[in-house]
Amino acid sequence: MKFAFVFPGQGSQSIGMMHGYSDIPIVHQTFIEASDILHQDFWAIINDNPIDDLNLTINTQPLMLIAGIAVYRAWMSLGGTEPAFMAGHSLAEYTALVASEALTFTDALSLVRFRAQVMQQAVPDGTGGMAAILGLDDDAIRAVCIEVTNNADGESLEPANFNSPGQVVIAGHRNAVSQGIKLAQTKGAKRAVMLPMSIPSHCTLMKSAAQEMYQQLEKIDFKPPRIPIFHNVDVQIHQSDAAIRDSLVKQLYSPVRWADTIQTLAAAGVTHIAECGPGKVLTGLNKRIDRDLHSLALTDSEAIRQAINILK
């Protein structure tokens, strides 16, 4: 049996999201370790603070990294075996790199905190936006983005996340996103809705952030991943530090090819995919991408134990 781990990114966070793992000591220990590194109480943010604190990008990005690594460590501490492959959705590529020992936890935390800061600074608040479009194929979405950009007087709209067949996220200038929603609806979209995100990820508005990210990544040493990782930007496995850095830089302004990633894992002989982190966002997407794949969500300690028995 060949299985893969996928790590969830921004959007999977929720208050109390680690409650279900409370009987596994390494989970809380991982949060303490991260809080000491970044000098911030992340356990309090997910348990005691207002949800607005949790949803601040500068908090969410390190939190989802911490949560993913905590669950991976829980998996290993309970006797789980290593997956054949890994992938992370957007920011969670950093989680995959830590789990595969290509990147230290300390370096990853500093990188995702920096990533959140430069993304926030790249576009003035209220200028950018993202929207989810359901019920149109990828080519139709690309056509919508091209048409809006051509008529938007210097503003741009692009596909940002190819999440699953019939579910694509678009990103760009806020007015262009609004126009994209209207145009998609006229072309038969079942649903088109603005997302509660001020940062237009995975589009050219992030190029200034990508330049700063490149300079920061140059300071970090990457090792060849012990477990192969399929990267978002090109659905390829990279071993050299230069290629990994390049993928992480391009990821900021390029679409997340999630559907292609899951299909590539299936083509590589993967039969089971486990979502390693809180929530079931990726599990839902994966089921829509390939119904023949067995999808598991490691949402709590019991789910981890059950998955360990399945994936022996």
Side-chain angles (χ1 to χ4, degrees):
M1 181 190 300
K2 190 180 286 188
F3 71 96
F5 268 4
V6 294
F7 295 93
Q10 202 163 349
S12 290
Q13 71 275 9
S14 64
I15 294 293
M17 63 186 183
M18 305 307 290
H19 283 173
Y21 312 98
S22 59
D23 60 328
I24 309 175
I26 192 67
V27 170
H28 192 209
Q29 290 167 15
T30 300
F31 272 78
I32 293 171
E33 180 186 348
S35 296
D36 288 344
I37 291 167
L38 290 185
H39 309 293
Q40 186 175 5
D41 190 344
F42 288 104
W43 194 253
I45 292 175
I46 62 169
N47 290 301
D48 305 320
N49 290 21
I51 193 167
D52 287 349
D53 286 355
L54 174 64
N55 289 336
L56 283 173
T57 292
I58 200 166
N59 292 331
T60 309
Q61 294 203 14
L63 268 168
M64 290 311 299
L65 167 68
I66 299 162
I69 291 304
V71 175
Y72 187 72
R73 288 175 174 179
W75 169 270
M76 298 305 295
S77 76
L78 293 174
T81 56
E82 289 185 341
F85 300 103
M86 291 180 174
H89 191 282
S90 187
L91 123 88
E93 280 195 343
Y94 290 85
T95 317
L97 287 163
V98 174
S100 68
E101 299 179 13
L103 181 63
T104 69
F105 190 38
T106 299
D107 284 343
L109 283 167
S110 67
L111 284 171
V112 298
R113 169 55 57 83
F114 183 83
R115 181 182 187 270
Q117 290 170 335
V118 295
M119 288 176 72
Q120 191 75 63
Q121 294 163 2
V123 179
D125 203 28
T127 304
M130 302 183 79
I133 312 295
L134 282 73
L136 292 181
D137 64 32
D138 294 354
D139 287 340
I141 296 291
R142 291 187 183 97
V144 164
C145 291
I146 290 169
E147 185 172 339
V148 169
T149 300
N150 287 343
N151 296 311
D153 193 25
E155 296 192 341
S156 62
L157 183 66
E158 299 160 60
N161 294 32
F162 292 104
N163 279 331
S164 68
Q167 182 179 331
V168 179
V169 175
I170 56 176
H173 291 90
R174 195 163 190 84
N175 182 59
V177 175
S178 296
Q179 294 303 311
I181 288 172
K182 294 175 185 175
L183 184 57
Q185 289 170 333
T186 67
K187 293 184 178 294
K190 293 178 182 176
R191 192 165 180 233
V193 58
M194 189 77 75
L195 297 175
M197 298 177 72
S198 61
I199 298 174
S201 304
H202 306 297
C203 71
T204 53
L205 294 181
M206 285 294 114
K207 283 215 167 176
S208 63
Q211 290 172 354
E212 292 187 71
M213 199 71 212
Y214 175 80
Q215 294 172 356
Q216 196 72 7
L217 286 163
E218 281 284 287
K219 304 172 185 176
I220 303 297
D221 291 324
F222 290 87
K223 295 179 181 178
R226 284 201 320 103
I227 301 168
I229 299 167
F230 283 102
H231 287 267
N232 289 180
V233 70
D234 55 7
V235 200
Q236 298 292 318
I237 294 167
H238 298 296
Q239 291 291 318
S240 73
D241 55 354
I244 292 170
R245 285 193 197 97
D246 187 54
S247 294
L248 293 174
V249 170
K250 288 180 178 176
Q251 181 215 70
L252 279 174
Y253 59 84
S254 304
V256 174
R257 295 173 55 188
W258 193 251
D260 288 344
T261 299
I262 299 304
Q263 289 165 350
T264 301
L265 287 169
V270 168
T271 57
H272 294 68
I273 296 182
E275 182 171 2
C276 190
K280 299 181 179 180
V281 172
L282 298 182
T283 300
L285 295 177
N286 299 345
K287 287 177 179 178
R288 289 193 286 274
I289 294 166
D290 189 335
R291 294 189 179 277
D292 292 332
L293 284 170
H294 298 277
S295 295
L296 307 167
L298 308 183
T299 52
D300 54 32
S301 59
E302 181 57 30
I304 293 174
R305 291 183 174 95
Q306 290 176 2
I308 287 173
N309 287 328
I310 293 169
L311 302 175
K312 287 179 179 177

